Amino acid sequence: MIRPAYRSLRVNLAWMMVGTVWNGFCQWAMLVVLAKLGAIETVGAYTLGLAIATPILMFSCLNLRPIFVTDQQEVFRFHEYFALRLGMMVVSVVAATAAGILERDRPELVFFIAAITVAKALDYLSDMFYALLQREESMRAIALSMILKGTLGLGAMAVAVVARGSLSSIGVALVIASGLVLVFFDVPVSLNLLQLKFVSALRECARQTKAMLRNRRRATRRLWELAWSGAPLGLVVMLVSLNLNIPRYFMERSFGMREQGIFSSILNLMAAGSVAVGALGQSVTPRLAKYFASGDSAAFRRLVWLLTGISVSLGVGGFLAAALFGRQILTLAYRPEFATHQDVFIWLMAASGALYLGSMMGVAVTAARCFAPQLPLFALSAVTTTVACFLLIPSMGMRGAAAAIFISSVVQSVGGALLLRYACRRIAAVAA
C-alpha cells in the first residue's frame, strides 16, 4: 500500500473541526425541523427511538475505530475489524427492535426503532472506513463524508416530514441517506486512497471471506479476541450514552411522549457545546499524550488548565444565555410552548458546565493512558442518574430530570478531577 504524503496537522484538525461541527449542527437541525413542522408527540417518539437505539449501538461498535488506528503492528487485519463490526451491527438491529417491542406495542414506533438503528448501523460501517482513512491521515475525506452525511440526512428528514410526517417515512429516509453516502462516497474514496479498483477489492473481499470460512475455528477465535479487546471501551461509550438517555426513559414512562419530546428537545441544546468540546478534545489529545510520554508535567498542566478554562467559559456562557434569553431561544429554535420551560433550560445549561469540564478532564486522563479507572466512574455516574431520576422525576417532572443530569454531571466532573490528579502523579513518576 502506497501511503500519501503526510498532511499538515493543522489542516487535518481544521477539517475535522469543520466536519464534526457541521454534522453535529445537522443532527440538531433535524430535531428542529421535526419540532417546527411535526407534532410534539412525533418529536417524543423520534427522540425515544434514538434513546433506545443509541446505547445499544454504542456498545456494539466496541470502539473499534481507535483500536484499528492504533494497531500499527497490524495484529488484526482490516477485514477482521470490518467483519466484527458488520456482525455486531446485525446484532444491534435485532436487540434494538426487541427493546422497542418490549417498550411499546405501537407497530410504527417499533418499525422506526428498527429503521433508525439500521441507519445508525450504516453510519458505523462508514466509521470503519473512517478508521482506514484516519490511519492514512486523510482527514479531509472523513470531514467531507460527515458534511455530506449530515446535509443529506437533514434534507431527507425535511422531505419526509413535509411529504408524510410519519415516523416510518422518517426512518426510511434516514436509512436511504446513510446508505447513499456509504456506497457512493465512503467505499469509493477509501478504495481510491488504497489505489484499489472496485472489482479487485470485491475479489479480495471474496478471497478473505473464503479463507475465513475454510478455517472457521481460527477466524472465530480471532474475532472473539478482537471483540474482547474492544469490550471495555464499548462499555464506556455505552455508559456515556446511557447517562443522557436514562432521564428520557423516565420522562416517557411518567409523563408520556409529549413531555418527553419537549424535554429531549431542550436537552439537545446542550449538544452545541458538546460538539465544540469534542472537536477540541480530539485536537489536543495527541499533544497531551506527547507531553505525558515525555514527562513534561509543566506543559501538560498548562494545557489542561487552558482546556479547563475553555470548558468553564462555555458552561458559564450557556447558563447566562439560558437565564437571560431562554424564552427567546426556545421559541426561536422550537415553538412558543417550549418557552414555558425556561427553568428546565437553565438547569440543563448549569449541568452542561459540569459536563464539559468532566469531558475535558476525561480527555486529559485518556491522553495519560489511564483507561481502566474510567469505567467505574461512568458506571457510578449512570447509577447516580438512575437513582436521581427515580426520586425526582415523579414529583418534579422535567425539572427533576434536569436536576438528575446536573447531579450526575457534578459526579462525573469530581471523579474526572480525581482521575486527573492520579494521572498527574503518573506523569511526575515518568519525569522522575
Side-chain angles (χ1 to χ4, degrees), residues 29-40 42-43 46 108 112 152-174 335:
M30 290 182 192
L31 189 61
V32 173
V33 168
L34 192 57
K36 290 283 190 181
L37 303 178
I40 296 181
T42 305
V43 176
Y46 173 78
E108 186 181 33
F112 171 74
L152 193 59
L154 178 58
M157 163 75 83
V159 171
V161 172
V162 172
R164 297 290 298 275
S166 65
L167 280 176
S168 300
S169 61
I170 293 171
V172 171
L174 294 177
R335 291 182 178 183

Side-chain angles (χ1 to χ4, degrees), residues 366-399:
T366 299
R369 299 192 64 78
C370 183
F371 301 134
Q374 293 188 56
L375 184 56
L377 171 60
F378 286 111
L380 175 62
S381 183
V383 170
T384 302
T385 304
T386 303
V387 173
C389 286
F390 179 79
L391 296 175
L392 299 177
I393 288 180
S395 59
M396 297 176 61
M398 291 187 203
R399 284 178 295 176

Side-chain angles (χ1 to χ4, degrees), residues 8 52 71 81 99 108 118 130 172 181 203 216 235 299-300 317 372:
S8 165
I52 292 173
D71 185 10
Y81 284 93
E108 186 181 33
V118 171
Y130 291 172
V172 171
V181 176
R203 289 174 179 171
R216 288 189 293 271
L235 284 171
F300 186 89

Side-chain angles (χ1 to χ4, degrees), residues 46-309:
Y46 173 78
T47 53
L48 180 64
L50 284 175
I52 292 173
T54 302
I56 295 172
L57 282 163
M58 294 293 278
F59 173 73
S60 298
C61 78
L62 297 175
N63 225 9
L64 292 180
R65 177 176 167 183
I67 296 175
F68 173 79
V69 171
T70 57
D71 185 10
Q72 297 297 315
Q73 287 75 35
E74 295 189 352
V75 177
F76 296 95
R77 304 296 298 276
F78 177 76
H79 71 272
E80 293 174 313
Y81 284 93
F82 190 80
L84 179 59
R85 173 62 60 86
L86 183 61
M88 292 302 293
M89 290 302 99
V90 173
V91 171
S92 68
V93 172
V94 175
T97 304
I101 293 173
L102 294 175
E103 172 67 22
R104 284 282 175 179
D105 57 358
R106 288 174 52 190
E108 186 181 33
L109 180 57
V110 174
F111 178 84
F112 171 74
I113 291 173
I116 197 65
T117 308
V118 171
K120 296 299 180 182
L122 292 173
D123 291 342
Y124 280 117
L125 291 180
S126 292
D127 185 66
M128 283 313 304
F129 289 102
Y130 291 172
L132 201 60
L133 295 168
Q134 184 177 351
R135 196 152 82 171
E136 300 303 314
E137 298 192 14
S138 184
M139 302 302 187
R140 177 176 177 270
I142 299 175
L144 289 174
S145 175
M146 295 175 70
I147 292 170
L148 184 60
K149 194 184 297 291
T151 305
L152 193 59
L154 178 58
M157 163 75 83
V159 171
V161 172
V162 172
R164 297 290 298 275
S166 65
L167 280 176
S168 300
S169 61
I170 293 171
V172 171
L174 294 177
V175 169
I176 293 173
S178 296
L180 288 175
V181 176
L182 172 63
V183 173
F184 293 104
F185 187 89
D186 296 332
V187 173
V189 168
S190 300
L191 294 180
N192 181 64
L193 175 72
L194 301 177
Q195 298 184 357
L196 294 174
K197 300 294 184 181
F198 184 72
V199 174
S200 61
L202 285 179
R203 289 174 179 171
E204 176 64 15
C205 182
R207 188 184 70 81
Q208 296 288 358
T209 302
K210 289 179 181 179
M212 293 179 69
L213 291 175
R214 280 197 302 268
N215 196 346
R216 288 189 293 271
R217 181 174 297 178
R218 180 177 181 275
T220 302
R221 185 181 71 252
R222 285 181 60 81
L223 291 180
W224 270 112
E225 291 174 358
L226 180 57
W228 185 254
S229 65
L233 292 176
L235 284 171
V236 168
V237 294
M238 182 192 72
L239 289 171
V240 171
S241 176
L242 271 176
N243 211 34
L244 290 178
N245 284 315
I246 287 172
R248 295 173 175 172
Y249 307 148
F250 277 90
M251 281 298 303
E252 192 275 331
R253 284 290 185 181
S254 300
F255 296 96
M257 285 292 189
R258 178 182 172 84
E259 295 297 302
Q260 193 279 136
I262 294 175
F263 173 76
S264 293
S265 299
I266 301 174
L267 178 61
N268 273 16
L269 289 172
M270 293 175 62
S274 296
V275 169
V277 168
L280 181 61
Q282 291 180 15
S283 301
V284 302
T285 296
R287 185 65 56 87
L288 283 170
K290 179 180 178 181
Y291 291 152
F292 175 79
S294 63
D296 191 348
S297 61
F300 186 89
R301 290 174 185 272
R302 281 197 303 269
L303 188 50
V304 169
W305 276 112
L306 176 62
L307 297 177
T308 300

